[in-house]
Amino acid sequence: METVAPAVDLVLGASACCLACVFTNPLEVVKTRLQLQGELQARGTYPRPYRGFVASVVAVARADGLCGLQKGLAAGLLYQGLMNGVRFYFYSLACQAGLTQQPGGTVVAGAVAGALGAFVGSPAYLVKTQLQAQTVAAMAVGHQHHHQSVLGALETIWRQQGLAGLWRGVGGAVPRVTVGSAAQLATFASAKAWVQEQQWLPEDSWLVALAGGMISSIAVVAVMTPFDVVSTRLYNQPVDRAGRGQLYGGLTDCMVKIWQQEGPLALYKGLGPAYLRLGPHTILSMLFWDELRKLARRCQHQGT
């Protein structure tokens, strides 16, 4: 993979993922609602205001208006900028140090970079999840937090739960992004190299990055969805006065309760929208990142 300065990768990675977020945020809203629907209830015992991808998009638009499909966008952009800026920066450092050339190096580097990014971006993801879950009473799923804005949500959480409250749920977010990042960065690099070796496409064509992103997105969704469901539940659950979750005690407790009370397939709730969101987001973010890196390298060469 072409080398650029880690600081440049920070800016390019954050910019690419924020751009992708603008297009995929409506899918994130639908996915969040589906993952919260029927929380800790056996299948068939709860109303289902959201049924499938297309019907769920229509349901969100009817309940919240077309703008409702972009709920939590500001928080989503903040999260993407923070998380992916850190993630791509540390992954670039690993590439620069030659760690990704070692056996399993891309997986380890991607996992560590993803964990660091998830920790830094956790407060933004917390607010994004809670904002996207909010809707009218007739269509509500999961706990409703009634935030008015991103800043208002951060202020409320800070005031009621303290600094630690802003990182509530990070125990689910770090594994989520760790496995997703490892799968994404490792499979994108190898898939792109494989496509180039086949010589089906011009080596510098954006279609090479597109093909690599399409392959990478399948791996990301397969390993990330269970952690994504758990992360959504942990972030959105109500808390007591001490800031402790009232439904789940942490990652393992959440997984066990979902498995026991909703069944194992519940860990893949929202899989369709998850792929439709994570797939395009992975493809677009990796494509934008790859093309921006090429542009940065050309600028570097012209300056020397």
Side-chain angles (χ1 to χ4, degrees), residues 33-156:
R33 303 278 178 91
L34 285 169
Q35 289 177 343
L36 290 171
Q37 183 169 253
E39 187 169 19
L40 298 184
Q41 299 177 65
R43 185 176 179 84
T45 63
Y46 56 86
R48 295 177 60 196
Y50 305 101
R51 294 174 177 269
F53 171 64
V54 175
S56 296
V57 170
V58 173
V60 172
R62 283 178 176 172
D64 304 317
L66 289 177
C67 291
L69 290 168
Q70 285 290 11
K71 273 195 173 184
L73 178 60
L77 291 173
L78 178 61
Y79 170 72
Q80 293 294 336
L82 290 171
M83 190 274 285
N84 286 295
V86 171
R87 184 167 73 104
F88 281 103
Y89 177 78
F90 282 98
Y91 186 76
S92 185
L93 284 178
C95 291
Q96 198 174 66
L99 297 178
T100 55
Q101 302 304 313
Q102 304 301 317
T106 53
V107 175
V108 174
V112 173
L116 291 170
F119 182 82
V120 173
S122 186
Y125 198 92
L126 170 68
V127 172
K128 178 195 75 69
T129 300
Q130 294 181 1
L131 287 172
Q132 290 177 337
Q134 290 180 186
T135 185
V136 297
M139 300 296 290
V141 289
H143 184 71
Q144 300 291 291
H145 292 269
H146 307 295
H147 298 308
Q148 299 301 313
S149 65
V150 176
L151 290 178
L154 291 170
E155 181 184 359
T156 298

Side-chain angles (χ1 to χ4, degrees), residues 5-267:
V8 175
D9 249 339
L10 183 154
V11 175
L12 299 184
S15 300
C17 293
C18 283
L19 185 56
C21 179
V22 174
F23 295 99
T24 60
N25 190 66
L27 300 170
E28 183 76 4
V29 174
V30 171
K31 177 193 68 102
T32 298
R33 303 278 178 91
L34 285 169
Q35 289 177 343
L36 290 171
Q37 183 169 253
E39 187 169 19
L40 298 184
Q41 299 177 65
R43 185 176 179 84
T45 63
Y46 56 86
R48 295 177 60 196
Y50 305 101
R51 294 174 177 269
F53 171 64
V54 175
S56 296
V57 170
V58 173
V60 172
R62 283 178 176 172
D64 304 317
L66 289 177
C67 291
L69 290 168
Q70 285 290 11
K71 273 195 173 184
L73 178 60
L77 291 173
L78 178 61
Y79 170 72
Q80 293 294 336
L82 290 171
M83 190 274 285
N84 286 295
V86 171
R87 184 167 73 104
F88 281 103
Y89 177 78
F90 282 98
Y91 186 76
S92 185
L93 284 178
C95 291
Q96 198 174 66
L99 297 178
T100 55
Q101 302 304 313
Q102 304 301 317
T106 53
V107 175
V108 174
V112 173
L116 291 170
F119 182 82
V120 173
S122 186
Y125 198 92
L126 170 68
V127 172
K128 178 195 75 69
T129 300
Q130 294 181 1
L131 287 172
Q132 290 177 337
Q134 290 180 186
T135 185
V136 297
M139 300 296 290
V141 289
H143 184 71
Q144 300 291 291
H145 292 269
H146 307 295
H147 298 308
Q148 299 301 313
S149 65
V150 176
L151 290 178
L154 291 170
E155 181 184 359
T156 298
I157 295 169
W158 175 288
R159 187 176 62 253
Q160 295 179 355
Q161 304 170 38
L163 180 63
L166 293 172
W167 269 269
R168 182 175 57 81
V170 71
V174 169
R176 170 187 177 273
V177 180
T178 297
V179 298
S181 180
Q184 183 188 62
L185 293 172
T187 56
F188 177 74
S190 57
K192 184 184 169 190
W194 180 77
V195 172
Q196 288 174 328
E197 288 174 2
Q198 305 309 307
Q199 298 183 341
W200 294 331
L201 302 165
E203 185 174 347
D204 292 331
S205 172
W206 62 272
L207 292 172
V208 174
L210 178 64
M214 291 176 68
I215 296 171
S216 178
S217 66
I218 297 173
V220 171
V221 173
V223 302
M224 197 172 179
T225 298
F227 294 97
D228 197 39
V229 172
V230 170
S231 186
T232 297
R233 299 286 183 88
L234 291 175
Y235 276 131
N236 194 66
Q237 69 173 326
V239 297
D240 60 21
R241 292 184 178 180
R244 294 186 295 264
Q246 295 183 2
L247 298 179
Y248 313 105
L251 173 69
T252 303
D253 182 54
C254 184
M255 277 193 165
V256 170
K257 285 182 176 177
I258 292 174
W259 183 290
Q260 290 179 341
Q261 299 185 38
E262 301 177 51
L265 291 181
L267 289 169

Side-chain angles (χ1 to χ4, degrees), residues 236-299:
N236 194 66
Q237 69 173 326
V239 297
D240 60 21
R241 292 184 178 180
R244 294 186 295 264
Q246 295 183 2
L247 298 179
Y248 313 105
L251 173 69
T252 303
D253 182 54
C254 184
M255 277 193 165
V256 170
K257 285 182 176 177
I258 292 174
W259 183 290
Q260 290 179 341
Q261 299 185 38
E262 301 177 51
L265 291 181
L267 289 169
Y268 280 89
K269 273 189 175 180
L271 178 62
Y275 177 76
L276 291 174
R277 181 263 168 191
L278 286 172
H281 185 86
T282 299
I283 293 168
L284 290 172
S285 59
M286 300 309 287
L287 174 61
F288 293 151
W289 176 56
D290 197 64
E291 291 301 306
L292 288 171
R293 290 176 107 243
K294 289 179 184 177
L295 179 60
R297 291 184 72 246
R298 285 197 293 268
C299 292

